[in-house]
Amino acid sequence: MPIKIPDHLPARRILEAEGLVVMSEADAVRQDIRPLRIGLLNLMPNKIHTEAQLARLLGATPLQIELTLVRMSEHVARNASADHMAAFYRPWSDVCGERFDGFVVTGAPVERLAFEAVDYWDELRQIFDWTQTHVHRSLMICWAAQAALYHFHGVPKHALEQKAFGVFRHRSLDPASPYLRGFSDDFAIPVSRWTEVRREDLAGRGLTVLVESEETGLCLVNDPARGALYMFNHLEYDTDTLRQEYLRDGAGPLPANYFRGDDPAAPPVNGWRSHAHLLFGNWINEIYQTTPFELEAIGRRDLEAA
C-alpha cells in the first residue's frame, strides 16, 4: 500500500504510525513502474490535517501513488505557515504544464460567499478548465464540488436555514457504479455545510446522482463527460474532525448523530471509515483501469472515450 510523499511532510509521520507504507524516492525509483500521479489542491484551513486525511485514503491501495500538493498561485493561506507551504506545496502556475492521472480539490471556508466574490475564483476556474486537458479523473469535495458544478453547468448553490452538521444516513442509488462497488445500501457520512445543491437543478445536464440522504440531500454526483466526481460531504474526515469544528465555532448546536447520547464530553464513534476507503479505493481503481499509459495522452477525452 505505497504512497510517495515528501520525506519531511508532517502527514508522513502520522501515516507511518498507522502502518501505511510511505515510500522514499529511492524505493519508488527502484520499482521501475509508472506511479499514478495524483494532485491535491488543498484549500482547507488546517493543511496538515487535510493532507493526512486524504493521503491516508489515497495510499490505501496496492498501486504506487505519487502525491503532489498544490496551492493557488497568488492567494496566501492565512491559517498555514509560510514555511510549510513553501516546503511542500507547488503553485498551480508551476504544475499547469504537467499531467495527472487524478486530481483532488478540497472544500474551503468560503461557502457563504458568492463564487465570484472569492478572491481566487478566476484562477480556480482556470484550474477547473485545466482538468479537462491535463487530468484523467478529478474529485471535487464540498465547496469545490459546488464550485465546479457552477462553473461547468451553471448549477447554483442554495443557502440552508441552518447548518447541515453531523453524521447522517445515506443510500446508494446506483450499486452498479464502479465508484460504489462494495458499498452498503445504507451508510453514514459526516456532513458540514451551510449550502446545498438541489436535485432539480441537475436535470438535463448529463449528471448522475450516486448517493443521497433523506435528511441532507445530494451527496455524490458523477459527471462522466468531464471525468469528475462531486462529493458534497466529508467521508475523508477523522473521527474527531466534527468535534474540532464544533469547538472552533463556539460550541453552537451539537453535530447530529455524532456524540454518544449527544454528550459532547463522550468520545464520538467513527461509523464511516470503511466507506471512505471504499470510495477512494474505487476511484483509484477506476483511474488505474482507464488512464492512458503515456502521460502525454492524459486529458484527451477523444482517446479516453475510444
Side-chain angles (χ1 to χ4, degrees), residues 2-235:
I3 184 169
K4 184 161 75 72
I5 56 179
D7 287 345
H8 300 292
L9 188 72
R12 185 184 188 97
R13 296 190 296 274
I14 297 170
L15 300 180
E16 288 176 333
E18 296 174 0
L20 193 76
V21 177
V22 184
M23 301 190 76
S24 68
E25 180 69 34
D27 289 338
V29 170
R30 189 158 45 242
Q31 284 197 347
D32 194 29
I33 61 174
R34 181 172 93 70
L36 289 181
R37 297 200 70 211
I38 306 295
L40 170 60
L41 177 60
N42 185 1
L43 303 175
M44 292 289 277
N46 194 322
K47 305 296 183 191
I48 293 174
H49 284 182
T50 303
E51 293 156 11
Q53 289 169 357
L54 291 169
R56 176 187 297 118
L57 297 169
L58 293 168
T61 166
L63 304 172
Q64 186 185 129
I65 304 294
E66 178 184 294
L67 184 63
T68 299
L69 299 176
V70 182
R71 63 173 175 85
M72 307 303 294
S73 303
E74 301 299 329
H75 175 75
V76 177
R78 290 179 296 177
N79 297 292
S81 81
D83 289 344
H84 181 83
M85 299 302 292
F88 301 115
Y89 281 77
R90 297 173 64 192
W92 176 71
S93 59
D94 188 38
V95 303
C96 64
E98 301 178 12
R99 284 172 163 79
F100 292 84
D101 299 287
F103 200 79
V104 181
V105 185
T106 72
V110 293
E111 186 183 357
R112 290 193 276 185
L113 293 175
F115 293 118
E116 294 84 357
V118 175
D119 63 3
Y120 49 80
W121 176 243
D122 288 342
E123 185 178 14
L124 186 60
R125 292 180 63 207
Q126 294 177 48
I127 293 172
F128 288 152
D129 287 338
W130 168 83
T131 65
Q132 301 303 289
T133 56
H134 289 72
V135 173
H136 181 61
R137 294 285 185 268
S138 59
L139 172 61
M140 312 297 181
I141 299 174
C142 198
W143 178 79
Q146 297 179 344
L149 274 172
Y150 180 71
H151 172 70
F152 287 128
H153 297 281
V155 173
K157 63 180 178 180
H158 301 273
L160 296 169
E161 291 185 4
Q162 60 183 20
K163 186 178 183 179
F165 188 42
V167 180
F168 297 92
R169 305 306 302 180
H170 288 69
R171 64 185 186 277
S172 167
L173 302 183
D174 187 3
S177 168
Y179 300 113
L180 299 183
R181 188 177 294 114
F183 268 63
S184 305
D185 296 335
D186 177 90
F187 42 90
I189 299 181
V191 179
S192 179
R193 50 183 166 80
W194 288 96
T195 57
E196 66 177 358
V197 169
R198 295 175 182 168
R199 177 185 274 272
E200 57 265 30
D201 294 326
L202 305 184
R205 304 180 189 275
L207 304 166
T208 304
V209 179
L210 300 182
V211 176
E212 192 172 28
S213 168
E214 291 185 3
E215 295 175 275
T216 58
L218 298 181
C219 172
L220 183 65
V221 172
N222 186 24
D223 187 353
R226 288 170 176 76
L229 278 182
Y230 308 122
M231 163 56 78
F232 304 116
N233 301 328
H234 289 286
L235 271 173

